[in-house]
Amino acid sequence: MSATDPRPPASQPAAELFEFLCRMGDNTLVLGHRLSEWCGTAPALEEDIATANTALDLIGQTQMWLGLAAETEGAGRSADDLAMTRDAWDFRNLLLVEQPNGDFGRTLMRSFLFDAWHRLMLERLTLSGDPRVAAIAAKAVKEVAYHADRSAELVVALGDGTEESHGRMQAALDRLWPYAGEMLADDAIDRAMAEAGIAPLPSALADPWEESVRTTLTRATLTVPEGAFAHRGGKDGARHSEHLGHMLTTMQWLQRAYPGARW
Amino acid sequence: MSDHASQPGPEAPEGRTARREWPLWEVFIRGQHGMSHRHVGSLHAPDAERAMRAARDVYTRRHEGVSIWVVPSVQITASAPSEKGPMFDPADSKTYRHPTFFDIPDDVGAM
């Protein structure tokens, strides 16, 4: 912000902060739910448990992000209200994480692309000017560092595996790559957060993300698709894919049918 | 890297016999208290690295451990249950072999 900028200092960007916190919390909520869909049906018992663990980590992080979002909003809503009673257009998650699981290879590739970004984002958020954001990031980054190591290792094992597994991983990469660009593109909310010293600009994560992802994909003998086209519309809620609505129908059913039900 | 068994795929055309299993590993965890690693169970994994990760996810979810060992199950030589008598019975009723009559010096540390 320049000295002649007429706007007041962004010391209390509550509306933008709420949006940002919903983005963080909706990413972890939607990916957490997607991963939980494998519970009981993953290709091996060990992978089933590991995937469910990751899902639980992400849901735990959701409670923190959406809890702080609800507090910031100050409208009497709770984290549960935000998770279970908003409709698709109010969700602020990236399009990448709402994409359906597909086969296990596609699920892993989706996690790999997201985890690499998530880790970089959380590392920088530990230095956030908002101590509440920094505290959540400090707790989450340890879990996410493990997620990122695990998904990268499996992408290498399956990419540089059999002809069958290589083919599936390449198909997954070709399909999901156009959804990765949204993670690294800035918009007005991102700029407000950066100006307030709360979060880094997503574009500042682009170089380290590309470098780490390309290094792993090379080890995995996979070919990064050419072209810079990126789907947009998830994190601003403007254009979610049809998959999100279907997922929410399942995820929110109980609270929609029996509002306030507890166990 | 085509020498290890591939991940169990969807329904094999010829039924279950076509399915290749990952090798079995035994898992040992050293808990928060005590110095020894204890056997906690087993799991399937394609290699040692993956076995270690799986052990972390399957057996330390509730903060049970501070250290993990994984060992290929085929590397373990086990005593035969049918030879239990000759193996273990002679140790019966030899209480003098228990070191319960001695004070352990503090310098010895954890035993």
Side-chain angles (χ1 to χ4, degrees), chain B residues 22-103:
Chain B
W22 289 332
L24 192 65
W25 301 74
E26 300 302 322
V27 180
F28 299 81
I29 306 270
R30 185 186 147 191
Q32 319 262 3
H33 308 289
M35 301 291 282
S36 60
H37 287 70
R38 286 172 181 271
H39 184 240
V40 293
S42 53
L43 49 77
H44 290 93
D47 57 34
E49 189 67 27
R50 230 62 52 75
M52 181 65 77
R53 297 255 185 211
R56 180 265 192 194
D57 281 320
V58 176
Y59 291 111
T60 67
R61 300 180 61 219
R62 297 171 189 84
H63 220 286
E64 290 91 340
V66 295
S67 170
I68 300 174
W69 289 348
V70 289
V71 180
S73 303
V74 293
Q75 295 295 330
I76 289 179
T77 307
S79 63
S82 59
E83 289 165 20
K84 203 159 67 116
M87 285 284 271
F88 305 116
D89 285 357
D92 271 357
S93 69
K94 288 169 180 156
T95 55
Y96 52 86
R97 288 182 178 171
H98 291 274
T100 49
F101 310 106
F102 304 94
D103 294 325

